[in-house]
Amino acid sequence: MNIYVIMKSTFDTEEKISIKNGKVSEDGAEFIINPYDEYAVEEAIKLREEHDGEVTVVTVGNDEIEKQLRTALAMGADKAVLINDEDIEDGDPFSTATILATFFKDKDADIILAGNVTVDGSSGQVGPRLAEELGITVVTTITKLTVEGDKAMIERDVEGDIEIVEAQLPLLVTCQQGLNEPRYPSLPGIMKAKKKPLERLELDDLDLDEEDVEAKSKTIEIFLPSGKGAGKILDGDLKQQAQELISLLKTEAKVI
């Protein structure tokens, strides 16, 4: 089975984010595998353990992402591919999906796994866009995956309920919390990861020009959320509290 994972590097979720010159500052920031992508890596390894085959992790970014790719290899992935996008200014999900679609056009992928969203952009667009470009089925927010032959039985999260889907391979799925528990890289895994193949590609290697992947969207403004104000304690009996609460929601919060 040919198993691929599309992965992104994001800020550590425990990082304190700061804004500098209208952009998120990366000064001294720690980067990790996007947490939802960890579920995808883990599920890919489990599929290989059950069905044999090979797991390849693919990312679009710069050389600094090698650390996160090596972590995925240490978890148990077999190969990694880094597609350099440094020549693209302010790329967006269209840019990433176009690059990935070009990479995958001559690959015989049985299943592609991705995170449901990224913790930085949270658009959830790259996976579905890629599936559309490749002309394959996509199932999002999955919490259980079983593959038998060329068919997959999938459970997906739908607003707190579960939907069961049967789909034909090839297939792209996006992984949600609850699908599995990602493993920690072991010391032997870390040592093996240093020798596993990591292929580096440029846009030229994919016969792509910068114009081909120019962003279709633009970020107008980035800002931190306003600080929370002090809370209020309402006095009186329940009826008085309810009346005062409605009044405050209308006059101060202005949400009704």
Side-chain angles (χ1 to χ4, degrees):
M1 180 177 286
N2 291 324
I3 308 162
Y4 287 85
V5 179
I6 54 175
M7 191 197 82
K8 185 180 182 184
S9 171
T10 61
F11 285 102
D12 190 327
T13 50
E14 296 184 2
E15 283 282 321
K16 185 176 181 180
I17 303 301
S18 60
I19 306 299
K20 185 177 181 180
N21 299 323
K23 293 184 178 182
V24 177
S25 176
E26 298 182 2
D27 296 342
E30 183 70 25
F31 285 83
I32 59 172
I33 297 175
N34 176 54
Y36 289 97
D37 295 351
E38 286 190 321
Y39 299 121
V41 174
E42 176 64 28
E43 197 66 18
I45 295 167
K46 290 173 66 177
L47 283 172
R48 186 202 59 207
E49 290 171 347
E50 184 176 354
H51 301 281
D52 293 327
E54 188 173 66
V55 174
T56 304
V57 180
V58 186
T59 194
V60 177
N62 56 41
D63 287 339
E64 294 178 4
I65 300 177
E66 179 177 341
K67 179 181 177 182
Q68 287 73 53
L69 285 172
R70 293 292 180 191
T71 298
L73 292 171
M75 288 174 68
D78 300 294
K79 298 192 302 185
V81 179
L82 171 56
I83 306 172
N84 194 328
D85 70 344
E86 288 184 313
D87 293 335
I88 305 171
E89 186 174 353
D90 298 324
D92 66 356
F94 166 81
S95 310
T96 304
T98 301
I99 292 169
L100 289 170
T102 306
F103 169 79
F104 276 106
K105 68 181 180 181
D106 61 350
K107 302 293 185 295
D108 186 21
D110 293 301
I111 187 165
I112 302 172
L113 301 98
N116 181 43
V117 293
T118 57
V119 295
D120 50 7
S122 297
S123 72
Q125 291 187 32
V126 172
R129 280 180 176 271
L130 174 58
E132 178 70 18
E133 289 291 326
L134 297 177
I136 62 176
T137 301
V138 58
V139 182
T140 58
T141 62
I142 75 163
T143 55
K144 186 176 181 180
L145 173 64
T146 304
V147 176
E148 293 184 5
D150 62 351
K151 290 185 179 179
M153 290 295 295
I154 301 164
E155 292 184 9
R156 62 186 301 266
D157 180 34
V158 282
E159 300 292 336
D161 210 338
I162 295 174
E163 179 180 54
I164 299 175
V165 179
E166 182 178 307
Q168 193 88 13
L169 301 183
L171 171 72
L172 188 149
V173 296
T174 67
C175 304
Q176 175 67 297
Q177 186 175 5
L179 174 62
N180 54 51
E181 188 64 38
R183 68 193 69 189
Y184 288 102
S186 64
L187 181 58
I190 293 170
M191 299 305 293
K192 289 178 182 177
K194 296 178 181 179
K195 297 181 180 180
K196 289 182 179 179
L198 194 161
E199 182 181 8
R200 290 177 171 81
L201 298 173
E202 303 291 333
L203 293 184
D204 288 346
D205 297 319
L206 301 176
D207 292 327
L208 284 172
D209 296 322
E210 293 175 42
E211 295 78 11
D212 298 326
V213 293
E214 187 175 349
K216 300 295 184 182
S217 59
K218 180 187 293 185
T219 301
I220 304 300
E221 185 179 5
I222 297 177
F223 55 90
L224 294 171
S226 57
K228 291 184 179 180
K232 289 188 176 183
I233 298 176
L234 305 181
D235 297 321
D237 60 32
L238 188 59
K239 184 177 180 180
Q240 291 174 320
Q241 291 180 27
Q243 290 174 339
E244 186 178 357
L245 176 61
I246 292 170
S247 175
L248 290 171
L249 291 174
K250 286 180 178 179
T251 60
E252 289 191 14
K254 297 181 180 179
V255 294
I256 60 173

